[in-house]
Amino acid sequence: MLNFDPERFLRIQNEALSHTRSIQRVVGSLFDDGASNLFFLGAGGAGKLMEPAAQLIARLSDFPVYLENAAELVAVGSSNLGPQSIVVIPSLSGTTPEAIAALEHAHQRGARVISLTAHADSPVAVAADHTFTVSAADDTSSESFYLQSLVIALALLNRLGRYDAFDSTVSQLQSLPALLLEVKRSYEPTAAEIARSIQHDEYHIITGAGPAWTEAWYYGTCILEEMQWIRTRPIHASDFFHGTLELVESGVSVILFKGDDASRPLAERVERWLPSVTDRITVVDTAEFALPGISADVKSLIPHVLVATVLERVSAHLEVLRDHPLTTRRYYRRLDY
């Protein structure tokens, strides 16, 4: 596989899942201490990656959960944030200014903070009440953050009595890193073809629903825009026919993600309509990925993980074809914080 270290990938994703029981104990302890709501507070893409976990909690329980933009919450405040709150702050570097400010704000309000970082000695990790460190980097952080936040959500739901299959699910997830590696290997020719097909496009509409929508937003914003300087329009599949359809015409590239979950019909509706106006259609469908030993119920929890893991392969080819390394930035170092 192009520009890929299988052993490193396995080590990082297994490390993410190695914290499962510790996360379960921390979440249980905070709940027993009187926690009555949960905030996911992240900046940029790291914050967006928490969306499927927040939605899972909200859809399976009445426990109040808030997915907030960290910088905006610090600016405007929240009457719901206080000593009764669990706050989860993801920050790969652990040095993101907005994440540090959110952590300080949460502590000022008396909340308890769980941090997810790649560096145990970073400001966010050191200041958090509980920190879980996984030595991920940009190319492996999506799966890592997705899996850690999923475990947080499932641990809370289990404590609430709303998810009895916790032990069975985490047992299945332990085999997921190796299965993801096989998915990557089998998808490599397709990834190379997708990269060749889209390498010259300067604009993409990217859509999906359910957990796959989170990855649609993330891939458009944090990979194609930030790392490749390609303009994108991420749009939820349920909103596609409320405006964005008017932007589609012959030659316009649309990238569609279909998850193996209850939201799938929303993506299929877009897929049925697209051929009537454009032949520039790229579909990533998690139903095509074999995961031996993973039940349908568990697979429905991870379409975003699956889409992220194959898109990493697309990106690896795209940066070579475009002669634009994923680490190249124009303005990042010039930001005035």
Side-chain angles (χ1 to χ4, degrees), residues 108-130:
Q108 289 168 6
R109 298 298 300 269
R112 279 74 56 85
V113 176
I114 298 172
S115 73
L116 309 175
T117 77
H119 303 281
D121 59 350
S122 64
V124 169
V126 170
D129 300 285
H130 306 277

Side-chain angles (χ1 to χ4, degrees), residues 5-271:
D5 182 343
E7 294 305 316
R8 172 175 166 271
F9 175 80
L10 285 174
R11 174 175 53 78
I12 290 169
Q13 305 312 326
N14 281 320
E15 186 180 1
L17 290 167
S18 73
H19 296 303
T20 295
R21 292 302 175 183
S22 296
I23 289 174
Q24 183 185 25
R25 285 192 293 271
V26 166
V27 170
S29 175
L30 293 174
F31 181 78
D32 291 343
D33 285 344
S36 59
N37 65 36
L38 186 150
F39 280 76
F40 286 102
L41 294 180
K48 185 68 174 179
L49 295 176
M50 301 294 104
E51 184 175 58
Q55 291 179 338
L56 185 64
I57 295 169
R59 290 167 182 171
L60 295 186
S61 79
D62 58 2
F63 190 84
V65 57
Y66 304 94
L67 179 70
E68 299 275 359
N69 179 294
E72 185 168 19
L73 182 132
V74 172
V76 305
S78 171
S79 61
N80 296 302
L81 178 64
Q84 79 285 2
S85 301
I86 302 171
V87 173
V88 178
I89 298 180
S91 174
L92 189 63
S93 68
T95 63
T96 309
E98 295 94 333
I100 295 172
L103 191 151
E104 292 172 347
H105 181 76
H107 274 165
Q108 289 168 6
R109 298 298 300 269
R112 279 74 56 85
V113 176
I114 298 172
S115 73
L116 309 175
T117 77
H119 303 281
D121 59 350
S122 64
V124 169
V126 170
D129 300 285
H130 306 277
T131 190
F132 296 98
T133 303
V134 176
S135 53
D138 283 342
D139 60 333
T140 52
S141 63
S142 291
E143 297 99 324
S144 172
F145 277 141
Y146 279 147
L147 291 172
Q148 289 178 92
S149 58
L150 174 61
V151 170
I152 290 172
L154 294 178
L156 177 59
L157 288 166
N158 178 252
R159 197 69 170 189
L160 291 167
R162 301 307 301 269
Y163 194 82
D164 295 334
F166 181 82
D167 289 336
S168 172
T169 298
V170 298
S171 177
Q172 292 180 55
L173 290 177
Q174 295 303 316
S175 66
L176 188 61
L179 294 173
L180 292 177
L181 180 57
E182 290 310 308
V183 168
K184 283 178 179 288
R185 283 179 171 145
S186 64
Y187 202 74
E188 186 75 1
T190 302
E193 179 54 36
I194 290 174
R196 284 192 293 270
S197 173
I198 70 173
Q199 64 176 304
H200 299 301
D201 290 300
E202 297 182 354
Y203 167 62
H204 300 281
I205 294 171
I206 306 181
T207 189
W213 154 244
T214 297
E215 186 57 26
W217 185 98
Y218 181 86
Y219 194 71
T221 303
C222 298
I223 308 300
L224 294 184
E225 290 184 355
E226 180 182 339
M227 299 183 182
Q228 288 293 294
W229 308 347
I230 297 171
R231 295 173 178 85
T232 72
R233 169 62 163 118
I235 181 72
H236 194 286
S238 66
D239 293 324
F240 187 90
F241 294 103
H242 297 277
T244 303
L245 80 165
E246 297 293 345
L247 300 179
V248 184
E249 58 187 3
S250 178
V252 171
S253 169
V254 180
I255 302 175
L256 171 69
F257 302 146
K258 295 169 59 181
D260 222 359
D261 65 295
S263 73
R264 186 179 180 89
L266 301 175
E268 290 178 329
R269 182 188 177 203
V270 176
E271 184 180 28

Side-chain angles (χ1 to χ4, degrees), residues 274-322:
L274 285 173
S276 67
V277 289
T278 182
D279 60 353
R280 302 282 289 111
I281 306 166
T282 302
V283 178
V284 178
D285 184 355
T286 64
E288 298 175 357
F289 305 144
L291 297 178
I294 302 293
S295 68
D297 285 344
V298 173
K299 192 179 182 186
S300 73
L301 297 173
I302 56 172
H304 49 316
V305 182
L306 293 168
V307 175
T309 215
V310 297
L311 289 178
E312 180 275 326
R313 294 287 73 222
V314 174
S315 300
H317 287 274
L318 197 60
E319 68 172 341
V320 172
L321 291 170
R322 289 172 50 81

